[in-house]
Amino acid sequence: DVKVTQSSRYLVKRTGEKVFLECVQDMDHENMFWYRQDPGLGLRLIYFSYDVKMKEKGDIPEGYSVSREKKERFSLILESASTNQTSMYLCATGEGGKKSNEQYFGPGTRLTVT
Amino acid sequence: AQTVTQSQPEMSVQEAETVTLSCTYDTSESDYYLFWYKQPPSRQMILVIRQEAYKQQNATENRFSVNFQKAAKSFSLKISDSQLGDAAMYFCAYRSYTGNQFYFGTGTSLTVIP
């Protein structure tokens, strides 16, 4: 079974703090994704990575950066947290290429910025 | 970017009855994949069912089946013999044949009434 873990289930940070959210997968998947989930807006893609040190912006990258130094680990960084970044953050992984394979999700991190 | 629309923010169904969740999508591509994901309360998102666009036959997984209408760009999920454990948020998702990115709808919250 694919296992996708996220560093925290719940996180409370203050405005202006630097925040690191980490995602680790154990299935050697090429692709890793960071989404934020907000009520009524569904899942919106922040960034994804298709290989080590490679990244692409998703639909809402502003205010975020990412890092992928090892294949199994994909970090989301909020350089200076703001209250409008209070949300549920979901990490997902998947195989690359022309495959119908699904994305596998982590349990999510509920971030509150006060 | 492709768009995925779920027009029913909330649905309810009596236990043991059948419910259909709607999804439409917009794309100019001919080859792609469609998915339904389930997110139970406070639990991980998991795949329910997937459909390859080149397959005319509708996918089924036990009590879950889809009605895939390619020309109409419609992909509805039918849940038969609904159970209390089916209560969750359901997301429809699209992925192109060659791309890595998934596009999600805004979700439908399903309540199962005992």
Side-chain angles (χ1 to χ4, degrees):
Chain A
D1 279 354
V2 174
K3 193 164 185 182
V4 183
T5 58
Q6 295 184 227
S7 47
S8 305
R9 288 300 302 271
Y10 299 95
L11 207 53
V12 179
K13 295 292 182 180
R14 294 197 178 275
T15 302
E17 280 192 85
K18 191 168 185 176
V19 181
F20 292 87
L21 303 182
E22 193 166 71
C23 176
V24 179
Q25 52 113 346
D26 67 354
M27 281 300 292
D28 202 36
H29 284 168
E30 294 92 343
N31 297 336
M32 296 187 75
F33 305 81
W34 275 108
Y35 296 93
R36 66 175 281 176
Q37 181 181 3
D38 300 289
L41 298 177
L43 275 69
R44 293 179 292 166
L45 182 65
I46 304 171
Y47 268 97
F48 71 95
S49 168
Y50 51 90
D51 203 349
V52 175
K53 297 191 186 294
M54 306 302 288
K55 62 185 179 185
E56 285 199 23
K57 293 180 180 179
D59 299 319
I60 52 164
E62 296 78 18
Y64 303 94
S65 62
V66 291
S67 172
R68 194 168 180 198
E69 296 296 319
K70 294 184 177 182
K71 190 174 186 179
E72 68 271 18
R73 199 175 296 263
F74 191 37
S75 300
L76 179 69
I77 304 153
L78 288 66
E79 294 289 343
S80 177
S82 64
T83 55
N84 63 12
Q85 292 178 309
T86 292
S87 186
M88 171 70 87
Y89 290 87
L90 297 177
C91 174
T93 76
E95 292 183 85
K98 298 177 183 179
K99 299 172 184 170
S100 66
N101 292 342
E102 67 201 84
Q103 287 195 339
Y104 297 85
F105 284 84
T109 295
R110 186 165 295 282
L111 172 67
T112 302
V113 182
T114 62
Chain B
Q2 279 73 17
T3 56
V4 178
T5 302
Q6 294 179 248
S7 58
Q8 306 152 315
E10 297 177 345
M11 293 278 287
S12 62
V13 62
Q14 292 285 143
E15 198 175 1
E17 296 295 309
T18 295
V19 65
T20 298
L21 308 184
S22 301
C23 174
T24 58
Y25 56 94
D26 185 26
T27 185
S28 58
E29 298 174 325
S30 58
D31 290 324
Y32 48 88
Y33 307 108
L34 296 165
F35 305 83
W36 277 99
Y37 280 88
K38 171 185 177 181
Q39 186 181 39
S42 301
R43 291 181 63 188
Q44 219 140 327
M45 184 111 64
I46 57 172
L47 179 71
V48 175
I49 199 165
R50 85 184 88 203
Q51 174 82 41
E52 287 96 342
Y54 64 86
K55 290 186 178 178
Q56 292 187 340
Q57 187 173 6
N58 289 324
T60 62
E61 288 285 344
N62 301 313
R63 298 183 294 107
F64 298 86
S65 62
V66 299
N67 183 5
F68 173 48
Q69 303 286 332
K70 191 172 184 180
K73 297 179 184 175
S74 170
F75 182 59
S76 60
L77 174 70
K78 186 172 83 170
I79 306 174
S80 304
D81 185 26
S82 297
Q83 300 175 359
L84 295 178
D86 295 332
M89 183 72 81
Y90 287 82
F91 291 95
C92 178
Y94 168 102
R95 180 196 163 188
S96 74
Y97 183 65
T98 55
N100 292 306
Q101 186 170 347
F102 280 56
Y103 297 89
F104 287 85
T106 52
T108 297
S109 178
L110 179 66
T111 300
V112 180
I113 302 165

